[in-house]
Amino acid sequence: MKEASKRVSFKHINSLAIPSIIAGISEPLLSIVDTAIVGNITIGASEALAAVGIAGSFIAAIVWVLGQTRAAVSAIVAQYVGEKKLASISSLPAQIIFINVALSLLIGIVTVFFAEQIFQLYNAEGLVLNYAVSYYKIRAVGLPFSLMVFTIFGVFSGLQNTFWPMVISVIGAVLNVVFDYGLVYGVFDLIPAMGVEGAAYASLISQITMAVLSIFLLYKKSKIRLKFYFPWNPELKRLIGLSSNLFLRALALHVTLYMANSFATSYGTEYIAAQTICFQIWLFFAFFVDGYASVGSIISGKQKGEKDFVSLVRLVKDLNKFAIFVAFGLMLICFSVYNYIGFVFTDEKMILKVFKAVFWIVLIMQPINAVAFVYDGLFKGLAEAKVLRNTVIAATFLGFVPTLFICDYFGLKLTGIWIAFSVWMLLRSGILAVYFKRIFLLKNT
């Protein structure tokens, strides 16, 4: 037992965390690049920025909801790696990819058909609505590819490998930047400027490329084969159970995104545009800090398979220290260039004024986010999906929603939205920290 309970070294943590950070931030970079480039088009920039924000948040919600199988796959694969029984789940990845792709196709077809009605629920109208619908109809084609990539990334994580997801994500992000510039603004007389639709096509090309690379590298760099065959793997039932709880958790997450964007849109175009910028930066920070959270997910699943809970407790303490340190670093960097960040996305004075008035809240909540994300990753790795489900549901409906309505009543507008987000993250981090202390810390120290 003494030998099993070694402290996970700083070097090993970073060998997993740094590639995971790079891979993680590549995902929101797709949306950030769209936001920055679209926000600087010459005609209808404010409306385009608002539309990409609304449609992008809806796409993110779908991917987050369906992509919860990534965490479930990672947890199960990691546990079987710890138990040295990986061969017994060889059929599982192909089966869950098949289910994910089928679901994403169904959801994509239905939502495209009702796209206008969906974005009207976000209070979008006129040019904002037209842009949002055209952007989404193109991006929806990429949903099956995104879900495929998410699942394969989960397999790699379970195998304790974050390097190849990093490579795939970086390639996808670079492609997205190149095609964004070319398709949004046009290239001389060769490619006409396509505006918002160009940004959507750039993301689609990136998603397809990443899916192809994911399949290729999974075959080349692991023993997992995406060969679909019956019977259903015995672990599929547990994976679907985990995914279902994470699915409900993701729905609660979507409630916060929907209500935030809906309220911001109702305040005016400059408010939803500023909200889009704030949220894209928040998301970038979230994925950045989530690199250390992913280490918790990857290693905790393996430690659970090895029944090494003493090392698990030590791991969580170390990850919290690293994640909070990174969060403070990001916060200080952004405060040092506070007056200049908004110009990356737009030069509209009203949008910049609203953005600057609220961005400080986005920054000061980063250390709280760091703790929440570490525990999120930990409980995903331990396959404690019910705890995550109940935590987010409680934080959403007992914290975010009432706070949002109270702030709206007092006319706080975008400031109120981010106060509600802060309460939401405080509850998420606090509940998970208390639960971990009660279940693991007190019993294993």
Side-chain angles (χ1 to χ4, degrees):
M1 184 66 183
K2 286 183 180 179
E3 187 175 337
S5 299
K6 292 179 180 178
R7 191 187 208 105
V8 180
S9 70
F10 177 76
K11 182 179 179 181
H12 184 54
I13 288 173
N14 280 305
S15 71
L16 293 172
I18 292 173
S20 186
I21 288 170
I22 296 171
I25 63 176
S26 297
E27 180 66 28
L29 272 176
L30 296 180
S31 296
I32 285 178
V33 169
D34 281 357
T35 303
I37 292 177
V38 166
N40 284 285
I41 61 177
T42 54
I43 300 175
S46 299
E47 290 80 4
L49 188 58
V52 169
I54 294 169
S57 70
F58 183 68
I59 293 165
I62 294 175
V63 174
W64 283 358
V65 168
L66 295 181
Q68 296 308 309
T69 50
R70 172 182 178 174
V73 167
S74 178
I76 291 174
V77 171
Q79 287 177 32
Y80 274 81
V81 168
E83 295 170 3
K84 297 179 172 57
K85 297 179 181 178
L86 190 60
S88 60
I89 56 166
S90 59
S91 62
L92 188 62
Q95 290 174 354
I96 197 62
I97 285 175
F98 173 80
I99 292 171
N100 267 346
V101 169
L103 279 174
S104 61
L105 281 171
L106 177 62
I107 291 172
I109 292 169
V110 172
T111 53
V112 163
F113 187 77
F114 292 104
E116 187 170 337
Q117 290 82 356
I118 289 169
F119 295 122
Q120 284 174 341
L121 293 174
Y122 284 80
N123 294 314
E125 57 185 19
L127 190 57
V128 173
L129 178 61
N130 293 337
Y131 277 155
V133 170
S134 61
Y135 180 83
Y136 178 72
K137 285 183 176 180
I138 297 167
R139 286 290 306 273
V141 178
L143 288 175
F145 299 102
S146 291
L147 268 296
M148 186 182 297
V149 171
F150 261 54
T151 307
I152 293 174
F153 280 12
V155 174
F156 272 121
S157 294
L159 294 171
Q160 317 293 289
N161 186 325
T162 57
F163 178 77
W164 294 113
M166 174 193 71
V167 172
I168 295 164
S169 296
V170 169
I171 291 172
V174 171
L175 276 178
N176 189 67
V177 172
V178 172
F179 280 101
D180 249 332
Y181 272 102
L183 297 179
V184 172
Y185 299 138
V187 180
F188 302 112
D189 294 327
L190 300 175
I191 301 174
M194 301 173 68
V196 169
E197 291 187 354
Y201 280 118
S203 294
L204 177 60
I205 292 168
S206 175
Q207 288 168 319
I208 294 172
T209 304
M210 289 170 68
V212 172
L213 281 173
S214 296
I215 295 170
F216 174 76
L217 287 171
L218 187 68
Y219 270 78
K220 292 289 289 185
K221 303 299 177 180
S222 80
K223 295 181 180 179
I224 300 291
R225 295 293 174 264
L226 298 180
K227 183 179 180 181
F228 182 87
Y229 58 89
F230 291 109
W232 296 108
N233 191 283
E235 281 288 1
L236 185 64
K237 183 178 179 181
R238 181 160 76 107
L239 190 149
I240 291 175
L242 290 172
S243 300
S244 298
N245 283 310
L246 293 172
F247 176 90
L248 293 173
R249 169 183 175 272
L251 284 178
L253 287 170
H254 180 51
V255 169
T256 65
L257 300 184
Y258 164 72
M259 293 190 70
N261 283 311
S262 180
F263 274 62
T265 304
S266 70
Y267 299 145
T269 301
E270 64 272 21
Y271 285 92
I272 182 57
Q275 166 66 10
T276 298
I277 298 171
C278 284
F279 184 72
Q280 293 301 339
I281 296 173
W282 184 91
L283 200 61
F284 175 81
F285 286 171
F287 277 92
F288 201 106
V289 175
D290 200 50
Y292 285 99
S294 69
V295 175
S297 178
I298 294 166
I299 298 180
S300 66
K302 184 171 179 285
Q303 288 173 332
K304 183 177 181 179
E306 296 169 342
K307 303 189 186 309
D308 184 10
F309 296 109
V310 174
S311 292
L312 174 64
V313 171
R314 292 172 179 164
L315 174 69
V316 174
K317 291 179 180 178
D318 288 340
L319 289 177
N320 271 320
K321 291 177 186 175
F322 298 149
I324 290 171
F325 177 80
V326 169
F328 268 110
L330 291 170
M331 183 177 70
L332 292 174
I333 290 170
C334 285
F335 268 123
S336 69
V337 292
Y338 192 90
N339 292 321
Y340 306 100
I341 291 177
F343 289 101
V344 174
F345 300 91
T346 183
D347 57 4
E348 296 283 337
K349 291 182 179 180
M350 285 303 298
I351 297 174
L352 290 170
K353 181 180 178 180
V354 175
F355 169 73
K356 288 179 182 179
V358 76
F359 186 50
W360 63 273
I361 304 177
V362 179
L363 297 182
I364 64 170
M365 65 189 292
Q366 292 311 309
I368 301 168
N369 294 357
V371 175
F373 296 145
V374 166
Y375 281 113
D376 260 359
L378 170 74
F379 282 101
K380 285 177 183 177
L382 294 172
E384 295 281 354
K386 289 182 180 179
V387 176
L388 292 170
R389 177 199 67 194
N390 294 340
T391 297
V392 173
I393 288 175
T396 298
F397 294 103
L398 299 179
F400 180 87
V401 173
T403 303
L404 182 64
F405 276 104
I406 291 170
C407 290
D408 179 65
Y409 176 80
F410 285 103
L412 296 179
K413 296 188 177 180
L414 207 59
T415 300
I417 290 174
W418 283 97
I419 290 174
F421 267 125
S422 299
V423 171
W424 186 57
M425 295 306 296
L426 270 170
L427 286 173
R428 286 176 59 184
S429 59
I431 292 170
L432 292 178
V434 169
Y435 187 87
F436 179 79
K437 182 177 181 180
R438 184 163 61 88
I439 299 301
F440 291 101
L441 193 59
L442 295 178
K443 291 184 177 180
N444 296 287
T445 55

